[in-house]
Amino acid sequence: MQTSSDYTMLNSLFTPLAEGVLGAGTLSQSGNPGSMVIVNDFMTPGGFMAGFNNINSSYLPTGTQLYAWVFNSSSPITATEWGIFTASSGWFFPNDLGSETLNNMEIDTYVRGSSTGDISNSDRLMLVPLPDSQGAVLLLSAGLALHLRRARMIR
């Protein structure tokens, strides 16, 4: 997860809360009528606090680690930066099924992203690098170009 830039693969690892998914509950966030958490809506820039209610008890196993996947765009597909964050305590699917509140002030684990030591700035993301296949093609192309240039010099 820390190094992959393949959105489709990473997306397959997660089960969303709310987002209009049956059984995934509903989002409650001040100033946000939508179904996805909005960053910059809680106390300081980069902050968020959101409650997820009415979650079906069979939607996730009790104790499942919860994550916040943050994008610099309203659509993950068009995002140029993103981060994945969690907290070592409190961010688990609850034993008392039905609701959970996530707050950026609790973040202490940066799976992918960056921190300057100020937990409240969880919107400080990192550039999504080229996928490995594109990087390999670039290196292969550069190597081929050098080889052809060297071959011309020898003739």
Side-chain angles (χ1 to χ4, degrees):
M1 238 183 351
Q2 289 91 344
T3 60
S4 179
S5 296
D6 183 342
Y7 171 76
T8 303
M9 187 278 297
L10 286 172
N11 191 43
S12 71
L13 300 175
F14 292 93
T15 303
L17 289 179
E19 297 188 21
V21 177
L22 186 64
T26 56
L27 173 68
S28 173
Q29 184 181 24
S30 178
N32 177 18
S35 63
M36 294 181 159
V37 175
I38 295 178
V39 174
N40 295 328
D41 199 32
F42 180 67
M43 294 177 65
T44 62
F48 64 87
M49 180 172 154
F52 296 91
N53 307 302
N54 308 312
I55 304 168
N56 187 305
S57 62
S58 63
Y59 187 69
L60 286 172
T62 299
T64 299
Q65 178 76 51
L66 301 177
Y67 295 86
W69 194 352
V70 183
F71 302 93
N72 70 342
S73 172
S74 60
S75 168
I77 300 297
T78 61
T80 57
E81 295 179 326
W82 41 272
I84 302 171
F85 309 98
T86 191
S88 58
S89 64
W91 282 32
F92 299 98
F93 197 71
N95 291 329
D96 183 14
L97 299 172
S99 65
E100 183 60 80
T101 300
L102 305 181
N103 182 331
N104 72 292
M105 301 299 276
E106 299 166 332
I107 290 174
D108 61 7
T109 306
Y110 298 81
V111 177
R112 180 176 184 123
S114 60
S115 169
T116 59
D118 181 358
I119 299 298
S120 67
N121 286 316
S122 59
D123 64 335
R124 293 186 183 198
L125 307 177
M126 63 189 284
L127 186 63
V128 177
L130 286 173
D132 294 339
S133 60
Q134 287 178 338
V137 169
L138 287 174
L139 286 174
L140 185 59
S141 298
L144 182 59
L146 287 173
H147 176 70
L148 291 174
R149 182 175 176 193
R150 185 173 183 204
R152 285 184 192 152
M153 288 179 164
I154 293 174
R155 289 183 189 185

